[in-house]
Amino acid sequence: MRDLNLLPKAHLHLHFTGSMRVATLERLAERQGMRLPEGLTDNRALHVPSDQRGWFRFQRAYDAARKVVRSEESMRTIVREAAEDDAAESSRRLEIQIDPTSYAPFLGGITPALEIVLDEAKAANAATGVEIAVIVAASRIRHPLEARTLARLAARHAGDGPGDVVGFGLSNDERRGTTSQWASAFRIARKAGLPAVPHGGELLGPEHVREVIDHLAPTRIGHGVRSSEDSDLLGRIVDAGIALEVCPASNVSLGVYPDSRRVPVRDLVDAGATVALGADDPLLFLSRLTDQYEALRAQGFTDAELAGLAAQHREGGSDGAALAVSGSLHSSNPVSDGIDLKSSPAANREMGEKIVAALQGMGKGVKAITFLGQGVRYDSYLVQFADYADWDKLYDRFCSAMGIPKDSSTVRTEQYAGLPHAHEIKILRHEDTWHKLEKNDFESALKQYHGDFLIPCCIGADEGGKAVFADLYEAPHILVGGTTRMGKSVLVSSIMKSLFELNRQDSFEAAIFDPAANYSVFKTAPNLWQGGIHGERSRFLPLLENLVDEMNGRLALLREHDAEKIQHLPEEYRPKLLIVLLEELAALLDTDKNAEKPIIQMLQEGAKTGIHMILVTQEPNSQTFSSKLLANLPSRIALRVVKPGSSRMILGEGGAEYLTSKGDHLVKWNGSAARFLHGYNV
């Protein structure tokens, strides 16, 4: 008999916290002085009935384990050890599933929580040889609106390599919520090319599997084992090429089947279904990937069958349905092989050929190049390289080869999602050819909004002149900074105007603190907090303390209704959203240090109560802005600054010192990568 531990495999169903080693759990708990439930450390696999009470016991144990994960170090340890454990079982690929929401409070938000996992996945891949990708999963026990937020986050990190997000899932108790409620989140993910990999068909039977297929259009289904109970449904799954991630140990521990011999893998395979084996939560079930293969051997699967199953996992189904989500995430390729510049204007054709010559002179093979068009200030070219291109290392050499300045305003580059080794290269045109974005452009843009954001706002226009909308709910607070006369107030005015236009007037209030009278255009707005704009800086501290009192009242309301956020309150008890705009923040903190305390209080707890802050300042400095204040501002907008240090203070990185024109700005939304946008002249 073959040693199944040596069989090359892929591991496609493993949860982040549930992958933790027991020894690691104990070490982290001891370090933090936490007491663990006996069931997590007694070296006995969890066994519960398949009812609500059983799930509650499972969830309680899982939550206890999750509580020890409170630092970047602990998250990196879990990813690294999961890779090491999979490598020891000859796993060639691991797709680890995570909902970053649970870890966000300790790491500054969902974005850094996810990016830590992605970064460590790349490092662990290099160290172990296991190709590690990530699935972002929403939770059924959280509000569906939060799933949309996670889907947008997943979309920003979509790819097909180690350390990329390769799918979007939905986990936790199948009996919670209505599946259709999460359909919009899956649509968002699907637009980014991310396959749907939701859970279904373990605790609930065939009818729920049908709901998952109908509403979420899955590529794979987590578990799906109960589809064996309905031959018509199983045939539909086979015909659609939907793979099933079967986890025998989980099925037994959660009381779905009395023992692993009863898990109907044979029925699924004989019907032609593509089956992938997964360990689900080894921490709780004390059963890893090889153990799942051993369970099938005990059912009568031959070594040849098991080897074929493992090969299918690694390479995808024979019918072409990718099982390991490792191929291209997009079905269409906008670049045809070769130089596609014949239809371009002469100047752009010449520039495209110059780009190719420069890159080839640097030893970088170019598979294809296409002129994408003329933007507000830049001409854009899509370049597909023959192999990997690291622009951090190539940038200076490219600028030298092109004979243009080495700064991020003259040449901008960004990876083109969904196309291997592709980058968009933007070349700045002469100022005489720049397009202006005026008030009428802004008004027209707002009419084109058709999104599903909870608190939509317009944060500028991209290089193509298309309005960019964001969800203030995701932010959940914004710091806007830049030097004098670079368009801060105009930009913030446009953001505020978009909030007034895109949100129901009766759904929110705006508390505007404006000592410089920059926002007098809003003085007649009907939904101003306390009936007007506040301009006397000496009154700001007591007013901010009044806002804290309002926040505390809302927190008490949440506790009364056992709700996490105001969006979860019954509508009749739900207070209005409150947008707090505070101008000249640095000047306020310089004159009254006590003002920092209520601001930080609202930054820390305001979002859950529907209070969101927009803080505006001149170029900040470390003497004025504490690290605690900045740590609670994951969303940043920087206009032009004079000093690189000011850019780093606002954004956490340089670049704003290279912005060329009034209104141009860099945006980091909830910790995402900086994005270059233009402002509207409103």
Side-chain angles (χ1 to χ4, degrees):
M1 293 180 83
R2 184 173 183 176
D3 184 352
L4 293 177
N5 215 44
L6 302 177
L7 178 66
K9 319 171 183 70
H11 197 175
L12 307 182
H13 193 114
L14 182 70
H15 292 273
F16 175 76
T17 298
S19 74
M20 198 177 349
R21 295 172 182 171
V22 175
T24 300
L25 173 70
E26 292 175 325
R27 184 174 68 255
L28 293 175
E30 183 180 6
R31 188 180 298 171
Q32 297 176 54
M34 293 183 179
R35 184 176 179 181
L36 295 169
E38 183 181 354
L40 285 172
T41 59
D42 61 2
N43 203 34
R44 291 186 296 179
L46 178 76
H47 284 283
V48 298
S50 61
D51 55 16
Q52 294 277 7
R53 186 175 180 181
W55 183 266
F56 175 76
R57 287 170 55 191
F58 163 75
Q59 192 64 55
R60 185 171 59 185
Y62 199 95
D63 289 344
R66 187 160 44 201
K67 284 180 181 178
V68 310
V69 187
R70 296 193 169 196
S71 67
E72 177 177 345
E73 179 190 1
S74 60
M75 296 190 74
R76 289 185 179 276
T77 296
I78 291 170
V79 176
R80 184 172 62 254
E81 291 181 348
E84 293 169 353
D85 292 343
D86 260 45
E89 296 185 303
S90 301
S91 177
R92 304 289 177 81
R93 179 178 176 89
L94 168 62
E95 294 181 10
I96 193 165
Q97 188 165 148
I98 185 171
D99 176 359
T101 308
S102 302
Y103 317 99
F106 312 107
L107 297 160
I110 58 174
T111 298
L114 176 62
E115 290 182 346
I116 288 166
V117 172
L118 298 177
D119 184 66
E120 188 60 33
K122 291 178 183 176
N125 164 242
T128 66
V130 179
E131 184 178 341
I132 310 171
V134 176
I135 293 169
V136 173
S139 173
R140 283 182 174 271
I141 66 172
R142 297 185 178 275
H143 199 282
L145 288 171
E146 296 191 26
R148 299 180 194 178
T149 301
L150 288 176
R152 296 185 192 99
L153 175 63
R156 291 200 293 269
H157 295 279
D160 56 12
D164 289 334
V165 175
V166 297
F168 185 71
L170 179 65
S171 61
N172 214 286
D173 189 351
E174 296 176 64
R175 294 162 294 208
R176 298 288 293 272
T178 303
T179 300
S180 60
Q181 293 177 294
W182 283 274
S184 59
F186 278 83
R187 283 196 295 271
I188 293 169
R190 203 154 37 246
K191 286 180 181 177
L194 288 172
V197 289
H199 285 49
E202 184 183 32
L203 299 175
L204 294 180
E207 283 306 313
H208 184 246
V209 178
R210 283 193 177 87
E211 288 181 17
V212 169
I213 294 172
D214 291 342
H215 295 292
L216 307 184
T219 299
R220 302 194 319 241
I221 295 176
H223 303 294
V225 69
R226 299 282 299 278
S227 58
S228 64
E229 300 169 13
D230 187 319
S231 59
D232 290 340
L233 170 64
L234 188 52
R236 180 182 175 186
I237 288 171
V238 173
D239 291 343
I242 300 170
L244 303 177
E245 303 162 5
V246 180
C247 307
S250 170
N251 299 160
V252 175
S253 283
L254 295 179
V256 181
Y257 301 104
D259 59 69
S260 60
R261 292 177 182 266
R262 301 284 293 275
V263 180
V265 183
R266 173 63 72 182
D267 294 341
L268 298 172
V269 172
D270 287 351
T274 301
V275 173
L277 297 180
D280 205 3
D281 297 291
L283 174 65
L284 297 166
F285 308 142
L286 302 184
S287 181
R288 291 202 50 81
L289 183 58
T290 296
D291 296 319
Q292 315 311 308
Y293 283 84
E294 293 285 3
L296 265 60
R297 174 181 274 172
Q299 288 190 10
F301 279 78
T302 66
D303 283 4
E305 287 177 313
L306 295 174
L309 200 63
Q312 180 178 248
H313 301 175
R314 298 192 310 274
E315 299 166 8
S318 59
D319 61 354
L323 183 54
V325 189
S326 58
S328 174
L329 297 177
H330 296 258
S331 60
S332 62
N333 186 341
V335 178
S336 56
D337 288 351
I339 309 301
D340 184 17
L341 297 166
K342 294 179 181 177
S343 60
S344 307
N348 300 112
R349 185 165 60 250
E350 183 180 340
M351 177 62 73
E353 292 168 350
K354 186 177 179 181
I355 291 171
V356 172
L359 292 168
Q360 290 177 340
M362 296 159 54
K364 293 302 298 181
V366 177
K367 183 179 179 181
I369 183 170
T370 300
F371 172 59
L372 295 180
Q374 188 179 85
V376 178
R377 299 196 182 104
Y378 291 81
D379 290 336
S380 293
Y381 302 82
L382 182 56
V383 177
Q384 187 177 16
F385 293 91
D387 53 19
Y388 174 74
D390 186 346
W391 267 103
D392 288 339
K393 296 179 179 179
L394 294 175
Y395 187 86
D396 285 356
R397 290 172 59 201
F398 176 74
C399 291
S400 295
M402 294 287 291
I404 54 183
K406 300 176 184 179
D407 66 64
S408 60
S409 64
T410 307
V411 179
R412 295 188 173 276
T413 64
E414 58 186 65
Q415 191 170 358
Y416 191 90
L419 189 64
H421 315 310
H423 293 261
E424 188 173 352
I425 300 177
K426 301 175 183 179
I427 308 292
L428 186 67
R429 299 194 308 275
H430 190 275
E431 188 173 352
D432 292 344
T433 66
W434 291 357
H435 304 312
K436 294 182 179 179
L437 297 171
E438 303 291 354
K439 184 178 180 180
N440 61 320
D441 297 302
F442 177 72
E443 292 172 348
S444 176
L446 295 186
K447 294 176 182 177
Q448 297 168 23
Y449 172 74
H450 298 294
D452 54 4
F453 293 152
L454 189 60
I455 315 175
C457 60
C458 179
I459 56 173
D462 64 16
E463 178 49 31
K466 183 179 179 181
V468 176
F469 298 96
D471 196 345
L472 187 58
Y473 177 80
E474 289 183 14
H477 311 286
I478 313 172
L479 174 66
V480 183
T483 196
T484 306
R485 293 187 294 277
M486 280 293 107
K488 287 192 308 298
S489 299
V490 176
L491 174 63
V492 174
S493 288
S494 69
I495 293 173
M496 291 298 296
K497 284 185 177 183
S498 69
L499 286 166
F500 278 93
E501 289 291 330
L502 299 177
N503 296 274
R504 285 183 15 230
Q505 295 294 302
D506 61 351
S507 69
F508 78 99
E509 291 182 301
I512 301 178
F513 296 78
D514 181 23
N518 291 322
Y519 307 106
S520 56
V521 67
F522 300 111
K523 65 183 180 181
T524 59
N527 46 347
L528 294 179
W529 181 69
Q530 294 195 353
I533 293 175
H534 308 282
E536 189 178 342
R537 189 177 286 127
S538 62
R539 290 283 302 148
F540 283 8
L541 179 57
L543 288 170
L544 289 169
E545 291 172 339
N546 288 347
L547 286 170
V548 171
D549 291 340
E550 169 70 20
M551 179 186 73
N552 289 332
R554 295 182 178 205
L555 288 170
L557 185 64
L558 292 178
R559 290 192 295 269
E560 180 182 343
H561 290 272
D562 194 26
E564 291 185 17
K565 299 179 179 180
I566 67 165
Q567 287 78 13
H568 303 167
L569 288 171
E571 191 167 354
E572 62 267 28
Y573 297 107
R574 196 178 304 159
K576 292 182 179 181
L577 295 167
L578 183 54
I579 314 299
V580 181
L581 169 59
L582 179 57
E583 178 67 86
E584 296 190 357
L585 176 63
L588 173 63
L589 296 179
D590 282 339
T591 57
D592 193 344
K593 287 292 184 183
N594 293 325
E596 184 180 70
K597 181 179 178 181
I599 292 172
I600 290 177
Q601 286 178 294
M602 284 187 283
L603 292 176
Q604 290 176 329
E605 295 198 280
K608 70 176 71 171
T609 72
I611 298 176
H612 300 267
M613 304 195 78
I614 302 174
L615 305 179
V616 188
T617 187
Q618 304 291 340
E619 294 192 37
N621 57 70
S622 56
Q623 288 74 39
T624 303
F625 284 17
S626 69
S627 58
K628 189 174 184 180
L629 178 70
L630 293 172
N632 285 285
L633 286 162
S635 295
R636 317 280 186 86
I637 299 177
L639 293 94
R640 179 171 172 80
V641 296
V642 176
K643 302 176 182 177
S646 298
S647 179
R648 289 191 291 271
M649 181 66 66
I650 300 170
L651 287 177
E653 61 185 69
E657 69 272 24
Y658 295 125
L659 294 171
T660 57
S661 184
K662 183 176 179 179
D664 287 359
H665 52 286
L666 295 171
V667 180
K668 293 184 75 171
W669 203 258
N670 200 6
S672 62
R675 183 177 185 183
F676 172 71
L677 297 177
H678 303 287
Y680 291 94
N681 184 22
V682 299

